[in-house]
Amino acid sequence: MPSFVRRSNSSLACLVASSWLAALLGASSLPAAAADPAVPRTARPDSAQVYFISPADGAKLRSPVLVLFGLRDMGVAPAGVVLEKTGHHHLIVDAPIPPAGLPIPKDEHHRHFGGGQTEVSLPLAPGKHTLQLLLGDHNHVPHDPPVVSERITIEVIE
């Protein structure tokens, strides 16, 4: 049997299994395997970087935590404003990075800063928390490829 047939059957099996699992767990429980072709993605410079100015990884802090966002080789523009080489910040709290080809969710784990904000005073419960920055374009969709920071862990003390 030609190798492309085996790959095709394997891909079909993966698709069927992932569809079954998505139905079982609820579609929102699983990240999308591929970008929706109807959702346009915005290119970004290869050298673009988003990072935390503060807090540092491993920091022990009191709530609210002052989080300062840094961005290199791109600019910040509010959501809805179409300007080349710009985006706006999203702070991912205690959650994985969402799929790249879809708009970034907006909930307690996915904080949007569509006004162009570059910092936040973040109330957090005592304990360990992970933080990660993800830049979104004018439509809240991650760039192509995504501009994402290192994930840091902080501890909120009482």
Side-chain angles (χ1 to χ4, degrees):
M1 176 183 318
S3 62
F4 71 88
V5 172
R6 281 193 295 275
R7 272 190 232 118
S8 185
N9 287 343
S10 172
S11 296
L12 180 60
C14 287
L15 180 61
V16 169
S18 64
S19 297
W20 176 82
L21 189 58
L24 181 66
L25 298 176
S28 63
S29 300
L30 298 175
D36 180 343
V39 177
R41 303 220 14 233
T42 303
R44 55 90 166 200
D46 289 338
S47 59
Q49 290 181 305
V50 64
Y51 58 93
F52 289 100
I53 296 170
S54 176
D57 187 33
K60 293 184 181 194
L61 308 156
R62 295 191 187 283
S63 185
V65 175
L66 180 61
V67 183
L68 304 176
F69 315 146
L71 182 60
R72 189 172 292 127
D73 293 337
M74 285 186 75
V76 174
V81 174
V82 181
L83 288 173
E84 193 173 294
K85 299 180 185 174
T86 66
H88 63 278
H89 294 287
H90 296 83
L91 179 61
I92 313 303
V93 181
D94 298 329
I97 290 293
L102 299 171
I104 300 163
K106 186 174 184 179
D107 57 35
E108 68 277 2
H109 296 288
H110 304 87
R111 312 278 178 111
H112 285 235
F113 298 92
Q117 306 93 316
T118 57
E119 65 180 59
V120 64
S121 180
L122 185 66
L124 289 170
K128 289 192 176 189
H129 298 277
T130 60
L131 304 176
Q132 196 165 18
L133 291 168
L134 175 61
L135 205 66
D137 69 8
H138 58 283
N139 287 322
H140 301 281
V141 176
H143 291 79
D144 187 17
V147 183
V148 61
S149 74
E150 296 288 328
R151 179 179 292 171
I152 66 169
T153 301
I154 61 169
E155 185 174 354
V156 174
I157 56 175
E158 294 187 39

